[in-house]
Amino acid sequence: MTIKLRHILAGLLIVASQSLSAQTLSDGQTVVKNALLTPQSGQMLLTMDVCLDELKLKHNQSVVMHPVLYSLDGTLKAAFDPMVIDSHAEYVLYERGLSNVAYSNVPHVSRRSGKPQTEYYRSTVPYESWMDGYELRLEEDLCACGDLSQLPYVTSLRRDLPPDPYTLIALTNLEPTQDKAPYELHGSAFINFVVNKWEMKPDYMDNRRELRKITDTLDIMVADKNITVKEIKIHGWASPESPFTHNRMLATNRAKSLTEWLRKNYDLPASAFAPAEATPENWIGLREAVEKMDGTQLAHRDEIHSIIRELLLKEDREIERTADATEARIKSSYPQDYQYLLRTVYPSLRRSDYEITFNVRTFNTIDECLQIYRTKPYQLSQHELWRVAQTFEPYSDEYNRALQTALNNYPDDEAVNLNLANVAIQQRDPLKAETLLQRAGNSGAAENARAVVCILRGQYEEAARHLDNAQQKGIDVSRNRQAIQKMLPYKDRK
């Protein structure tokens, strides 16, 4: 015969292992202490000590406890092995296979009547994600049939889920400046000239293809009513193989020749063409090319690099005075390497850099901004793209896409980086947000966002420091301070 002692279980409490004070049953007979639930290798492990020193059972009694883990909403559960405590007579029946069928396949404990006795309980169930928050119940089987569907229980150990920090935090966006700065476009064209000549011939060698690098861009700008070309600047470079004074004359006149050719081919104000500039010898480009080589390409790479670096550390006048001697030194000391550089590197040193500065008109109405956004978003300023984003639901795909477009066009703008960092936080990507915040400046809104990233990572002291900075700069940080207070009780939770 198996008897369930409801009054024994009704007063049962389990305490977490952090508290070593035992909890005693209401009848003063049974003590349970040191209960601990631990995720371990894909399992949830339950351990506890059950002290039976004062427990007295009748000749044919048993006590059956069922530890069951429930989700916090009560919809999911996982049952640990039951613990069966038998009187001596019931334990003999168990050993002979004559005990209650419902509990024949689980371990039984024999109560040694009148003697001190503590039994160590250990059982596991497969770990599932809902077990991050749980309620452990000890249930009793009143019908001795093993049916756990309608059992009375006592709540014994509960672990609440920490609140979702993303629902607690508050972000502040930053409106970009309304100033629309001029745009700049840089590039290089490798225009070929007849030896010792500077007349620009479009059909000479690959010049037509190289000129298109400049003209294709200018053609688009001139045809666009929203764009005004402000300035075209040409900077010529020559390679170091001729005397310095000769190279200065070649580089300067070739830059002037290209500038003049553009002036004749485009109907732009004279003020749009800046005076041509030149660097007589492109030692910087030569150094960069040598740095990219290895010993198989240039046997004396390090020695040549040292010679070039020594020259470039000098003042401009000293470079002009010693450049020819430097080139002669490389040529005489390392003739094979020099010939390799002359053949493979020097041609690329003779180039014409161009810089086109242009203005895009301001789009005053939101309808204009939206129309340009759909066709030529690169013509919108940071503030105009911000206005476009405000027409969409905050943090919707369209809103996020508009802010990403702003970052693509203005990667160094602090407000743009901050606003997209806030998007990353909303998308639960604090790592991306942290990267964007590196270029977001030190505004109050940026400090608030840094605090939020720290809150999401459980770095509450660091978060408080950033919140102090944000508050000093006029940001309301009360909600984020409250978020820290709500998360602190869960700080050490793994």
Side-chain angles (χ1 to χ4, degrees):
M1 179 179 182
T2 304
I3 300 175
K4 309 301 172 293
L5 300 183
R6 176 184 297 186
H7 296 293
I8 291 180
L9 289 180
L12 180 63
L13 294 174
I14 292 182
V15 296
S17 63
Q18 291 83 352
S19 174
L20 300 180
S21 60
Q23 299 295 316
T24 306
L25 303 183
S26 61
D27 64 359
Q29 295 187 48
T30 306
V31 176
V32 176
K33 62 182 180 180
N34 297 338
L36 180 63
L37 279 161
T38 309
Q40 189 177 86
S41 302
Q43 303 286 317
M44 179 65 88
L45 170 66
L46 170 62
T47 58
M48 58 184 177
D49 295 324
V50 181
C51 181
L52 308 176
D53 293 358
E54 304 299 325
L55 179 61
K56 296 177 176 60
L57 296 178
K58 293 181 180 180
H59 176 72
N60 55 352
Q61 266 188 301
S62 294
V63 174
V64 183
M65 295 187 295
H66 295 270
V68 183
L69 200 63
Y70 284 84
S71 60
L72 291 175
D73 60 7
T75 61
L76 301 171
K77 69 177 183 178
F80 293 96
D81 290 336
M83 183 177 188
V84 183
I85 305 171
D86 292 328
S87 66
H88 176 72
E90 284 292 311
Y91 190 75
V92 170
L93 292 176
Y94 161 71
E95 288 187 317
R96 295 176 180 177
L98 300 176
S99 64
N100 190 306
V101 175
Y103 303 108
S104 60
N105 294 320
V106 298
H108 286 226
V109 173
S110 177
R111 172 67 183 115
R112 299 187 297 274
S113 180
K115 296 181 180 179
Q117 183 178 356
T118 297
E119 298 293 336
Y120 177 69
Y121 176 90
R122 186 182 191 279
S123 182
T124 62
V125 292
Y127 179 85
E128 298 182 46
S129 59
W130 60 262
M131 295 178 183
D132 288 341
Y134 53 73
E135 182 178 56
L136 179 66
R137 301 175 183 176
L138 293 180
E139 301 179 338
E140 53 180 337
D141 182 358
L142 297 177
C143 64
C145 59
D147 182 7
L148 304 182
S149 60
Q150 298 292 331
L151 299 183
Y153 68 89
V154 58
T155 299
S156 25
L157 189 62
R158 181 183 177 93
R159 171 178 167 134
D160 292 321
L161 283 170
D164 182 356
Y166 288 93
T167 66
L168 304 177
I169 51 94
L171 298 167
T172 302
N173 287 318
L174 195 61
E175 185 173 350
T177 177
Q178 296 189 30
D179 295 336
K180 196 163 187 175
Y183 297 77
E184 291 184 354
L185 182 66
H186 300 264
S188 295
F190 297 91
I191 307 299
N192 290 285
F193 293 88
V194 177
V195 177
N196 288 328
K197 302 292 184 182
W198 52 83
E199 181 185 359
M200 214 291 296
K201 296 183 177 182
D203 295 320
Y204 182 66
M205 299 181 71
D206 292 330
N207 283 355
R208 185 66 64 181
R209 181 183 65 186
E210 291 298 311
L211 284 170
R212 287 188 61 181
K213 295 178 180 179
I214 307 175
T215 60
D216 284 356
T217 300
L218 279 174
D219 290 344
I220 294 173
M221 291 182 176
V222 170
D224 194 322
K225 65 181 185 302
N226 296 327
I227 295 178
T228 302
V229 177
K230 182 179 180 181
E231 186 179 66
I232 303 172
K233 183 184 295 184
I234 303 296
H235 189 110
W237 301 79
S239 54
E241 75 272 23
S242 296
F244 190 91
T245 54
H246 182 70
N247 284 334
R248 177 166 52 197
M249 180 268 294
L250 282 178
T252 301
N253 287 331
R254 286 173 175 175
K256 289 180 179 178
S257 178
L258 178 55
T259 301
E260 188 61 27
W261 184 86
L262 292 171
R263 188 195 307 272
K264 290 179 180 179
N265 282 274
Y266 287 92
D267 185 18
L268 295 171
S271 59
F273 297 91
E277 299 177 350
T279 298
E281 295 183 353
N282 192 0
W283 286 97
I284 295 176
L286 181 59
R287 182 196 62 192
E288 292 173 349
V290 170
E291 287 174 345
K292 295 176 182 178
M293 295 181 181
D294 56 34
T296 61
Q297 297 168 293
L298 212 61
H300 299 88
R301 171 194 174 278
D302 292 342
E303 293 85 348
I304 293 174
H305 182 269
S306 179
I307 293 172
I308 297 171
R309 183 174 179 275
E310 180 182 334
L311 174 69
L312 290 175
L313 289 173
K314 297 177 180 179
E315 299 290 338
D316 289 347
R317 288 187 178 181
E318 189 65 12
I319 290 176
E320 178 178 350
R321 190 182 68 82
T322 59
D324 290 345
T326 299
E327 207 244 348
R329 179 183 171 189
I330 296 173
K331 183 176 181 180
S332 61
S333 300
Y334 314 107
Q336 292 183 338
D337 288 338
Y338 177 82
Q339 290 300 319
Y340 179 79
L341 293 173
L342 191 66
R343 184 173 64 256
T344 62
V345 177
Y346 275 42
S348 64
L349 303 179
R350 308 164 195 141
R351 71 172 195 258
S352 298
D353 291 344
Y354 60 89
E355 178 184 300
I356 303 173
T357 306
F358 59 97
N359 293 317
V360 178
R361 75 176 183 88
T362 300
F363 302 101
N364 295 311
T365 69
I366 189 59
D367 288 339
E368 281 187 309
C369 290
L370 286 168
Q371 180 181 359
I372 295 299
Y373 176 69
R374 289 188 289 266
T375 56
K376 302 173 182 176
Y378 57 87
Q379 292 188 1
L380 296 175
S381 68
Q382 303 98 306
H383 191 266
E384 289 162 344
L385 286 165
W386 164 260
R387 292 180 64 193
V388 167
Q390 304 317 298
T391 66
F392 304 121
E393 183 70 21
Y395 305 113
S396 64
D397 289 345
E398 295 88 352
Y399 175 92
N400 298 346
R401 192 175 299 116
L403 294 187
Q404 181 63 56
T405 300
L407 183 72
N408 294 343
N409 287 280
Y410 305 98
D412 297 320
D413 186 89
E414 293 181 356
V416 168
N417 278 276
L418 167 65
N419 296 336
L420 200 60
N422 288 341
V423 169
I425 291 172
Q426 289 291 339
Q427 293 176 332
R428 298 178 178 250
D429 191 348
L431 180 59
K432 180 179 179 181
E434 184 178 43
T435 300
L436 290 164
L437 288 171
Q438 292 175 1
R439 294 179 294 181
N442 295 307
S443 66
E447 283 294 278
N448 182 68
R450 292 187 180 99
V452 167
V453 170
C454 291
I455 292 172
L456 298 177
R457 290 177 170 170
Q459 301 167 341
Y460 302 128
E461 292 183 4
E462 184 71 6
R465 185 179 67 81
H466 287 298
L467 289 178
D468 289 343
N469 294 339
Q471 186 172 11
Q472 291 173 7
K473 297 179 180 182
I475 301 297
D476 181 1
V477 298
S478 57
R479 181 176 173 85
N480 289 330
R481 291 197 190 279
Q482 292 171 5
I484 292 176
Q485 294 305 311
K486 291 177 180 179
M487 295 303 299
L488 272 174
Y490 306 91
K491 183 178 187 301
D492 297 322
R493 177 167 290 191
K494 300 299 183 182

